[in-house]
């Protein structure tokens, strides 16, 4: 099983390091192919660099570790290649206004997950994951001891669930399903009650995450 990681910035670069450390082959792509090639060289034999199209074509699972609008553009261009792939989406509905302030880019109540899932071809297997922690916490909380840290995910798709559980374990975390695509907003920011930012920065272990999930869903 090979995982394509599109985007080698804060999230994609961290995830590539974790997955390679966990023994997973990765194929990396970025806007500038030299960025992907440099990271692949640093990570060794389990990693390679490619164009976005080559990376998707070579992979079983594709992580779009790019900003939401870029994910939308890439899916529009490469929809045909995504048939039968597990598509992993860490995006948050965030952008910057003219003053450089971070703003929500979708209406309240609309998740990035619902937008991306609706753009995919019918044969793709969508899952929201790997965006539930800030990038620095994603980097430092892998293989935490004595209690592993949890990464929530959301999907309606059994194939996607099986794959993301394997990838989250390989990355050094415990997976926990937060719900289906309709619940994706709970693990996005701003506003998600199960996103790290909605929990005062907490990085939960499995018991804590199960208890939080079992608590009443906010109105
Ligand atoms: N940062 C966080 O703490 C955090 C936390 C949770 C979720 N997220 C979400 O994760 C996603 C990525 O965030 P980030 O902070 O990792 O972003 P980032 O550091 O800005 O990295 C973005 C990456 O996207 C690549 N890219 C841009 N346009 C592309 C294109 N057309 N084709 C292929 N690659 C392209 C860039 O390539 P180059 O390297 O060539 O420029 C770069 O590697 C976002 O949706 C964000 O909302 C971020």
């Amino acid at each position: 099983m090979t995982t394509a990681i599109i985007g080698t910035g804060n999230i994609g670069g961290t995830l590539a390091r974790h997955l390679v450390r966990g023994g997973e082959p990765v194929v990396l792509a970025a806007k500038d192919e030299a960025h992907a090639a440099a990271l692949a060289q640093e990570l060794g034999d389990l990693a390679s660099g490619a164009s976005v199209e080559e990376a998707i074509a070579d992979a079983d699972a594709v992580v779009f570790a790019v900003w939401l609008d870029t994910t939308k553009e890439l899916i529009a261009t490469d929809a045909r290649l995504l048939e039968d792939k597990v598509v992993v989406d860490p995006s948050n509905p965030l952008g910057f206004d003219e003053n450089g302030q971070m703003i929500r880019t979708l209406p309240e109540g609309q998740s990035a997950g619902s937008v991306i899932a609706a753009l995919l071809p019918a044969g793709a297997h969508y899952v929201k994951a790997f965006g539930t922690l800030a990038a620095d916490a994603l980097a430092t909380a892998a293989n935490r001891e004595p209690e592993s840290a949890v990464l929530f995910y959301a999907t309606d798709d059994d194939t996607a669930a099986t794959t993301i559980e394997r990838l989250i374990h390989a990355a050094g975390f415990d997976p926990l399903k937060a719900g289906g695509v309709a619940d994706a907003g709970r693990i996005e920011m701003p506003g998600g009650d199960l996103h790290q930012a909605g929990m005062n920065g907490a990085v939960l272990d499995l018991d804590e995450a199960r208890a939080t999930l079992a608590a009443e869903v906010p109105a």
Side-chain angles (χ1 to χ4, degrees), residues 5 9 14 20 41 46 49 65 83 93 101 103 154 166 188 190 214 217:
I5 302 177
T14 298
V20 165
Q41 188 172 21
L46 282 174
E83 282 286 355
Q101 294 297 309
I103 53 163
R166 182 175 60 76
E188 295 179 1
V217 178

Side-chain angles (χ1 to χ4, degrees), residues 6-13 29-36 52 64-71 73-74 89-94 130-136 138 189 195:
I6 314 301
T8 54
N10 297 308
I11 294 294
K31 186 169 189 178
D32 181 341
E33 286 190 32
H35 292 172
V52 172
F64 282 103
V66 295
W67 291 83
L68 174 60
D69 284 348
T70 305
T71 306
E73 289 165 17
L74 293 175
D89 165 30
S91 69
N92 289 311
L94 287 174
F130 285 131
T132 58
L133 300 180
D136 57 345
L138 183 70
M189 69 168 287
H195 190 282

